[in-house]
Amino acid sequence: HSDIKGNVFENRLHPEVKLLTVLKLRYFLNLHIYDYKNYSFLNKELKCRANTGFLAIFDLLENEAKEIFITGFSFYLDSFIKGYKNGSSRNEEDFADECFTSIRHNQKNQWSYLKTKKNNPKFRFDPVLKEILNLKKLDKREFIQILNNYG
């Protein structure tokens, strides 16, 4: 359970999630479900709810991936790829701004956390993400300068 900001206050399954159903899914289907205890622990560390892709990084790490190439993360310093949100009633730029300033999925917390983990020998980062993780603060103006360096 967590509050609106994503802060975890209980490390157990939501009452509507039945443990037996989770176990059946794991047994009968060829899929992986991230352990809810690890999920809660990560969210406690972040002091917010992790975005799905961000969470996947640590799920892979906990499941002994030999190497994890992390790409496509900007912590919403930019917008979505044109057309990605087609069908949504919201403008892509506005939607991205809402994601960047989200309290529940706090991008600064996730960015700060990944910065502390960036020297993990299993992690490799795309060049832009590597520069984002080297920023002193998560700032859109500084991100634009990074993009300008890449043409």
Side-chain angles (χ1 to χ4, degrees):
H1 296 355
S2 62
D3 62 18
I4 190 66
K5 292 182 181 179
N7 295 311
V8 175
F9 58 86
E10 266 186 89
N11 190 6
R12 64 181 179 87
L13 286 172
H14 189 281
E16 292 179 18
V17 177
K18 304 295 181 222
L19 182 57
L20 184 57
T21 302
V22 171
L23 295 173
K24 284 179 182 177
L25 287 170
R26 285 184 178 160
Y27 183 78
F28 290 110
L29 299 176
N30 185 20
L31 60 86
H32 170 77
I33 300 172
Y34 191 52
D35 183 81
Y36 71 92
K37 291 177 184 171
N38 293 346
Y39 176 62
S40 291
F41 178 77
L42 179 62
N43 287 333
K44 278 184 180 181
E45 292 277 303
L46 293 171
K47 296 185 176 85
C48 73
R49 281 254 200 212
N51 288 82
T52 305
F54 189 88
L55 180 67
I57 295 166
F58 295 94
D59 186 27
L60 289 167
L61 188 62
E62 290 167 13
N63 283 283
E64 302 180 21
K66 290 183 171 87
E67 181 178 84
I68 303 169
F69 179 67
I70 305 169
T71 186
F73 282 85
S74 68
F75 302 94
Y76 293 101
L77 290 167
D78 57 356
S79 187
F80 297 97
I81 294 171
K82 278 276 184 246
Y84 182 76
K85 292 292 183 182
N86 279 355
S88 173
S89 61
R90 294 188 278 184
N91 169 293
E92 287 172 339
E93 294 292 325
D94 294 340
F95 197 170
D97 285 340
E98 289 172 25
C99 292
F100 181 73
T101 58
S102 173
I103 295 169
R104 187 169 183 79
H105 298 285
N106 187 301
Q107 299 306 302
K108 289 180 183 177
N109 290 9
Q110 292 178 76
W111 168 78
S112 295
Y113 187 82
L114 192 55
K115 277 178 73 87
T116 68
K117 307 292 183 191
K118 71 181 179 181
N119 293 325
N120 184 314
K122 291 186 176 187
F123 288 163
R124 285 187 333 139
F125 302 98
D126 71 46
V128 173
L129 179 54
K130 191 181 287 187
E131 291 200 43
I132 290 171
L133 293 173
N134 287 327
L135 291 172
K136 296 216 185 307
K137 62 181 181 172
L138 195 64
D139 182 83
K140 288 189 177 200
R141 288 176 299 226
E142 290 186 36
F143 177 69
I144 290 169
Q145 288 177 326
I146 290 171
L147 292 181
N148 289 337
N149 292 339
Y150 284 91

